[in-house]
Amino acid sequence: MSKVFKEYTVEEIGKHNKEGDLWVIIDAKVYDLSRFASMHPGGSSVLFADSIAGKDATQAFFGLHKHEVLLRPQYQRLQIGTVAGQVEKIKAPVPGELSKVPYAEPTWLSKGYYSPYYTEKHRKFQTAVRYFFETVVAPESKKCEDSGKKISQEVVDKMAEANIIAMRLGPGKHLRGRTLMGGIVKPEEFDYFYEGIVHAELARVSSRAVVDGLLAGLVIGLPPVLNFGSKELYDQVVPETFAGKKYVALAITEAFAGSDVSGLQTTAVRDGDEWVITGTKKWITNGTFADYFTTGCKTEDGFTVILIPRGPGVETKQIKTAYSSVAGTAYVTFDKVRVPVGYTLGKVGMGMQVILSNFNHERWMVCCTSVSTQRLVIEECLKWATQRIVFGKPLTNLAVIRSKLAMMISRVETSQNWLESITYQMCNMNYAEQSDKLAGPIGLLKTHISKSGRENAEEAVQIFGGRALTVTGMGKFIENFHRTSGFDAILAGAEDVLSDLGVRQALKKMPAEAKL
Ligand code: HEM
């Protein structure tokens, strides 16, 4: 039940304006800061200023704090009343609700706009997914970003229960018999637009590191088991991973070779019914806590992918990266690890096919999360630029700020529209058609989106100024995005490699008769 507060007149509040007796008004609410003043992180003197003590400090407050500060329980307790004749204007976000800030939502979710792709059912699904992420994942996500610890088993269990882990792998047989978000969508109806919603909503409540920490390793490491593993292996590994009880990491890259898969040095040698595997892997997402490693190995006949369970000879060490260690980025060593040959994924020597089969989906997934985060950047910038007063006027009064916002919005809207168009193609093409026709466009799209992300990060830093350089306070989201936006440009394929792939794929299809 919400508390009933006493009403005070502005005159009465004005009398409480000194040390030991200090009230302020923020958005029609009265706060008693008498005891808090000496603990205030911004210092006590600022609170005793003539324009603040006993006065309406709403504008000053929102120029210096995020609204979420007032929603923290320890600060909510400072409220003692409301102001007679005034009505609160700034509302706390309601879980599951859409943002009313322009461009904070894609057009398909914006009132009065239309979409050729999404149905009412997608909308219903999106509401449920957003509610889930905002209520279950968001609090944990903030905690883990700061602590660098793995996401708790409790949250993973809830994700498994709603089948979110399975849905992140996209449409397919693996969804059969599963109840998706309480049955809103049937497994056979689940298309890439539904999957894209899951990625976008995950990114709204998670930093770049948390997006990866929430089992991104499984999302890219399990498909080779689904598509190339034996039935026995599938039956053993898939149920326990979708249930959130076991974790998977994709272990391809090495200090010796990244994009150049042929330069890998991890070697698997046959010894009877077992592989003996020795080598190292670097930058392995979720590697610190993975139970299985989908590993690229050099074998006598070329390159082979083998699922290695954590066991004797497997060691993982945390690598410190620019983002939070919640992602569990690891250096992995395999020292004469013995694995049954039944753990081979695909044919011996055909590992390239296994690895390539998943690239388009992984890159498309990065596009979904990145565009969603970039929308949040716009939302933060629009809010900040309207609430920050400089030279007596909001920041938005400056043409240079509006010009930056124009560029940011244009980048996000072009990215979104291209992404939706490619998603539509994915929904209508079979696997072979996707490989043939979409590898190039997805490579170019990812490059466009990650470049846009870094450009948007730079613009946002200029809009937020010094606040975008601190990990707490008003600009903390922008600081995090600016520091981590480069991850989208490298993970799942470096920008330069992918843009080149896009053009090479197009060149392959240049008709001989095409002449100027
Ligand atoms: C209910 C009232 C208030 C609470 C609970 C509160 C709380 C906080 C907190 C938690 C911070 C740390 C930064 C952050 O987390 O955003 C902070 C910083 C600050 N606060 Fe307050 N504050 C209140 C009112 C005010 C008012 C009325 C002023 C007016 C001048 C003010 C001025 C500042 C300043 C100057 C900083 C430092 C900002 C920075 O480092 O950029 N605060 N406050």
Side-chain angles (χ1 to χ4, degrees), residues 36 40-42 46-47 52 57 61 64-65 69-70 72 75 467 473:
F36 170 69
H40 177 231
V46 293
L47 303 175
I52 303 291
F61 182 88
L64 295 156
H65 315 72
V69 168
L70 290 179
R72 294 181 199 154
Y75 299 138
R467 283 176 173 75

Side-chain angles (χ1 to χ4, degrees), residues 206-504:
S206 315
S207 65
R208 185 63 181 80
V210 173
V211 165
D212 284 354
L214 272 159
L215 314 189
L218 187 155
V219 179
I220 55 179
L222 191 61
V225 182
L226 288 181
N227 301 320
F228 297 95
S230 66
K231 182 169 179 328
E232 296 73 45
L233 200 62
Y234 185 108
D235 290 346
Q236 177 199 325
V237 177
V238 176
E240 60 186 7
T241 49
F242 281 166
K245 302 299 174 206
K246 288 273 165 84
Y247 305 119
V248 187
L250 182 67
I252 306 294
T253 45
E254 298 181 2
F256 305 99
S259 304
D260 170 20
V261 173
S262 59
L264 298 177
Q265 295 195 8
T266 296
T267 306
V269 180
R270 271 296 283 268
D271 181 18
D273 286 345
E274 289 181 328
W275 290 109
V276 181
I277 301 161
T278 298
T280 58
K281 296 286 171 184
K282 192 171 177 183
W283 303 287
I284 306 308
T285 303
N286 300 175
T288 57
F289 55 82
D291 300 288
Y292 294 106
F293 299 85
T294 301
T295 312
C297 303
K298 232 167 54 176
T299 48
E300 210 181 355
D301 308 298
F303 175 66
T304 305
V305 180
I306 301 168
L307 187 72
I308 306 181
R310 192 183 279 273
V314 178
E315 272 190 30
T316 55
K317 266 193 305 198
Q318 179 88 46
I319 301 177
K320 276 199 178 171
T321 63
Y323 71 13
S324 167
S325 45
V326 59
T329 313
Y331 190 80
V332 185
T333 50
F334 301 112
D335 184 15
K336 300 190 203 73
V337 182
R338 300 189 85 84
V339 179
V341 287
Y343 281 62
T344 311
L345 302 173
K347 292 205 175 79
V348 175
M350 300 297 281
M352 270 319 265
Q353 187 200 346
V354 176
I355 293 309
L356 288 177
S357 72
N358 201 32
F359 270 162
N360 285 343
H361 182 262
E362 180 185 357
R363 289 167 187 162
W364 171 83
M365 177 180 80
V366 172
C367 294
C368 296
T369 51
S370 187
V371 173
S372 177
T373 312
Q374 291 181 47
R375 276 197 189 282
L376 278 176
V377 172
I378 292 180
E379 180 169 4
E380 293 273 309
C381 287
L382 277 169
K383 283 182 178 165
W384 171 246
T386 39
Q387 78 194 55
R388 176 64 166 176
I389 308 296
V390 283
F391 307 116
K393 296 202 170 99
L395 264 183
T396 45
N397 262 39
L398 301 174
V400 66
I401 298 291
R402 295 197 302 272
S403 156
K404 286 188 189 310
L405 289 166
M407 289 314 296
M408 295 169 78
I409 292 166
S410 309
R411 287 186 201 106
V412 167
E413 287 301 327
T414 47
S415 299
Q416 177 90 38
N417 279 279
W418 194 2
L419 174 61
E420 288 182 3
S421 152
I422 285 188
T423 307
Y424 182 68
Q425 306 305 327
M426 287 165 67
C427 290
N428 287 284
M429 287 183 189
N430 61 30
Y431 174 75
E433 288 168 329
Q434 284 188 36
S435 307
D436 175 44
K437 295 193 166 64
L438 296 182
I442 289 177
L444 291 172
L445 173 67
K446 182 173 170 290
T447 299
H448 173 73
I449 289 177
S450 60
K451 277 203 164 123
S452 297
R454 280 177 300 138
E455 285 163 8
N456 284 341
E458 289 301 328
E459 311 260 37
V461 167
Q462 290 306 312
I463 293 174
F464 270 76
R467 283 176 173 75
L469 304 178
T470 57
V471 290
T472 56
M474 297 295 286
K476 65 180 177 185
F477 178 80
I478 302 301
E479 185 283 330
N480 190 292
F481 181 70
H482 183 243
R483 175 162 42 90
T484 63
S485 57
F487 282 68
D488 287 338
I490 301 293
L491 271 53
E495 248 169 33
D496 290 340
V497 175
L498 293 191
S499 47
D500 186 50
L501 170 80
V503 176
R504 277 190 292 112

